[in-house]
Amino acid sequence: MLDFIKKNNVKISGEGEQAIIFAAGFGCDQTMWRYVAPQFEKEYRVILFDYVGAGKSDYSAYQSEKYKTLEGYAQDVVEMCKELNLKEVIYVGHSVGATIGMLASLQDPALFKQLIMLGPSPCYINDLPSYKGGFEREDLDGLFEMMELNYIGWANYLSKVVMKNLDRPELAAELEGSFCSTDPLCAKEFARATFLSDYRHVLQQVTVSTCILQCEDDSIAPKEVGIYMNEHIKESAIFFMEATGHCPHVSQPEETTQLIFTCLANI
Amino acid sequence: MLDFIKKNNVKISGEGEQAIIFAAGFGCDQTMWRYVAPQFEKEYRVILFDYVGAGKSDYSAYQSEKYKTLEGYAQDVVEMCKELNLKEVIYVGHSVGATIGMLASLQDPALFKQLIMLGPSPCYINDLPSYKGGFEREDLDGLFEMMELNYIGWANYLSKVVMKNLDRPELAAELEGSFCSTDPLCAKEFARATFLSDYRHVLQQVTVSTCILQCEDDSIAPKEVGIYMNEHIKESAIFFMEATGHCPHVSQPEETTQLIFTCLANI
């Protein structure tokens, strides 16, 4: 009945004229934005959604062929914007959610006014000496293999690597729960689509104004990666956060919220 | 940008496949449903909205000509359903919100699966001896005059008449605040559209399955009115509530929620 709303479990809240979309990272759903997104409801129309295959999306809409690359997810973002008659949205994407927004902006630039990227990476694999993505291909193959053989163990391990902040073990535990509650088939295909992607060549085609929020001590998107993106996107700025790890919207929501407002003011 | 979403301040939450719309009564907005609507988010897709001219709707979309009758508001409900690709929705309407839903169902019956009417009335004016609506025309003219001369005094007076439950003065105070925060021009025109309406002649044309929830000691929609509606709508049932006054979703949200679930189960 609800088509795209059901498919992507779309939620609409807030009162402003300007739409702001919050997009999750790999293995996560919109609940990861629960500390940050409500702060924008007074001034913005807040749109939350889940990728097909994650959260409370419609799993019957999952197609391996479509979602084997991030373009499939980006296509859904474009469709959602069109169905909602959105134009010139603010798009805040975490991690691979940032890449998905960037790809959506290449599919239809007029839909986007600004991209705010939280811990983005155009390529996770090192291409030394010119590019340090943070992972060797063998590391990733090891992760994919672990997903096959011991999904729970993989979720436990990766959640700690991603979240950091191990003095607050409930944070990694939440992320682990999020990974574990994701359908393993979808998660495995999304993991390959994410971690094997290389979108360095499209950065220069991005025309939408971009802000990069770069965490300290982020093992998934190291500082060099944020700087690389900032250098290659035409109209971009980078802000270095005090937050550590790869999920500042969960571990340091106040700083994240504040910086998003700063980005919004700087357009 | 957001067209109907901005116009009617549409909110979408919840995860079910079946859409359920909650519509407010006169001088109120979607916040009146705050105790009830969230109870449906686990099983339903919950749609909340404000009438143009109320709540946080887009006041620039207000047109006296369109909204001088309830059909104008009903047209917006139909448009909202179409924009969201909704079909066979459950529509829960309070007071005049019930009438608006009924009129929308006459404009496009296929959009509606069930109408749940909380304190509805097809006609507020007595037409004795055959029909007791609860008001004499002179009473209403007095109210309209009071709205012109002393809007605040009118809001204070009517809120107590509507809410009852005077042992909990915060309830009437909230309703008074809601009346007062409504744009007086829109409120005055909506008051005339509401209280001077007579839709008794269309009741027999309603084809959608209907549940009427009838309060005790309701001065706006007395018991005889609920019974009259139930007798004249083809496929309808009436439930008599223990809640008193005209706003059970605010004064007795548990009973209201429970009865809505009962209606949903009885379709």
Side-chain angles (χ1 to χ4, degrees), chain B residues 4 29 63 83 188 214 216:
Chain B
F4 71 103
D29 67 13
Q63 307 162 49
E83 292 274 10
K188 281 185 240 171
Q214 176 65 50
E216 251 325 287

Side-chain angles (χ1 to χ4, degrees), chain B residues 2-238:
Chain B
L2 288 137
D3 303 3
F4 71 103
I5 290 180
K6 182 184 159 200
K7 190 174 83 171
N8 286 114
N9 190 28
V10 176
K11 306 292 164 83
I12 302 175
S13 62
E15 269 106 35
E17 286 213 26
Q18 171 69 55
I20 186 165
I21 297 175
F22 289 91
F26 165 76
C28 296
D29 67 13
Q30 58 187 268
T31 61
M32 289 286 161
W33 289 106
R34 69 187 179 282
Y35 304 121
V36 171
Q39 312 300 321
F40 294 83
E41 289 181 349
K42 273 199 185 159
E43 295 176 59
Y44 294 86
R45 197 72 51 160
V46 174
I47 319 275
L48 293 164
F49 72 103
D50 295 333
Y51 303 117
V52 171
K56 290 180 173 161
S57 66
D58 180 4
Y59 286 74
S60 73
Y62 190 81
Q63 307 162 49
S64 293
E65 185 58 28
K66 173 174 178 182
Y67 298 112
K68 77 178 178 192
T69 67
L70 301 181
E71 275 86 354
Y73 295 99
Q75 195 181 317
D76 286 350
V77 170
V78 167
E79 277 170 23
M80 177 176 73
C81 290
K82 288 189 174 169
E83 292 274 10
L84 288 168
N85 283 327
L86 299 178
K87 280 188 198 85
E88 301 193 350
V89 302
I90 311 283
Y91 177 101
V92 184
H94 173 233
S95 193
V96 69
T99 313
I100 289 168
M102 178 178 79
L103 294 173
S105 87
L106 294 176
Q107 290 178 21
D108 197 336
L111 296 181
F112 298 88
K113 182 177 182 181
Q114 187 178 26
L115 299 172
I116 298 176
M117 301 179 166
L118 193 59
S121 173
C123 178
Y124 296 87
I125 302 176
N126 295 330
D127 183 11
L128 298 174
S130 64
Y131 180 80
K132 191 186 161 209
F135 294 87
E136 289 298 328
R137 172 71 201 228
E138 299 75 48
D139 302 335
L140 295 173
D141 285 337
L143 267 182
F144 300 146
E145 199 178 350
M146 198 170 170
M147 283 184 96
E148 289 292 345
L149 298 174
N150 179 4
Y151 190 79
I152 305 295
W154 161 84
N156 180 278
Y157 166 73
L158 191 65
S159 66
K160 292 186 174 67
V161 173
V162 170
M163 186 60 81
K164 298 278 172 76
N165 293 281
L166 297 180
D167 55 324
R168 290 189 282 162
E170 68 279 10
L171 298 181
E174 181 192 339
L175 189 59
E176 181 185 348
S178 180
F179 289 166
C180 288
S181 69
T182 303
D183 179 281
L185 170 72
C186 303
K188 281 185 240 171
E189 294 184 345
F190 197 9
R192 298 186 85 87
T194 299
F195 292 111
L196 299 182
S197 66
D198 183 355
Y199 290 106
R200 288 177 291 167
H201 61 290
V202 305
L203 295 177
Q204 293 187 308
Q205 297 164 25
V206 176
T207 54
V208 177
S209 174
T210 301
C211 276
I212 296 161
L213 305 186
Q214 176 65 50
C215 287
E216 251 325 287
D217 193 22
D218 183 339
S219 303
I220 306 297
K223 205 170 274 188
E224 295 89 334
V225 168
I227 293 169
Y228 181 94
M229 288 195 83
N230 188 46
E231 280 172 352
H232 287 78
I233 295 177
K234 275 180 214 134
E235 202 185 321
S236 81
I238 186 164

Side-chain angles (χ1 to χ4, degrees), chain B residues 229-259:
Chain B
M229 288 195 83
N230 188 46
E231 280 172 352
H232 287 78
I233 295 177
K234 275 180 214 134
E235 202 185 321
S236 81
I238 186 164
F239 295 85
F240 296 97
M241 301 183 69
E242 289 179 18
T244 55
H246 188 58
C247 298
H249 51 333
V250 179
S251 63
Q252 294 292 345
E254 300 81 8
E255 189 193 11
T256 306
T257 301
Q258 204 44 61
L259 266 178

Side-chain angles (χ1 to χ4, degrees), chain A residues 1-3 5-6 9-15 17 45 56 83-87, chain B residues 1-3 5-6 9-15 17 45 56 83-87:
Chain A
M1 302 265 160
L2 288 136
D3 303 6
I5 290 180
K6 181 184 159 203
N9 190 28
V10 176
K11 305 293 164 81
I12 303 174
S13 63
E15 269 106 34
E17 287 213 26
R45 197 72 52 160
K56 290 181 171 159
E83 292 274 11
L84 289 169
N85 283 327
L86 299 177
K87 281 188 198 87
Chain B
M1 302 263 161
L2 288 137
D3 303 3
I5 290 180
K6 182 184 159 200
N9 190 28
V10 176
K11 306 292 164 83
I12 302 175
S13 62
E15 269 106 35
E17 286 213 26
R45 197 72 51 160
K56 290 180 173 161
E83 292 274 10
L84 288 168
N85 283 327
L86 299 178
K87 280 188 198 85

Side-chain angles (χ1 to χ4, degrees), chain A residues 89-93 98-99 101-103 105-106 112-121 202-213 226 228-239 259-260 262-264 266-267:
Chain A
V89 303
I90 312 283
Y91 177 101
V92 184
T99 313
M102 177 177 81
L103 295 173
S105 86
L106 294 176
F112 298 88
K113 183 176 181 182
Q114 188 178 25
L115 299 171
I116 299 176
M117 300 178 167
L118 193 60
S121 172
V202 305
L203 296 177
Q204 291 187 311
Q205 298 164 24
V206 175
T207 54
V208 177
S209 174
T210 302
C211 276
I212 295 161
L213 306 186
Y228 180 94
M229 288 195 80
N230 188 47
E231 280 171 354
H232 287 77
I233 295 177
K234 276 180 212 134
E235 202 185 320
S236 81
I238 186 164
F239 296 85
L259 266 177
I260 295 172
T262 302
C263 295
L264 292 168
N266 275 319
I267 198 171

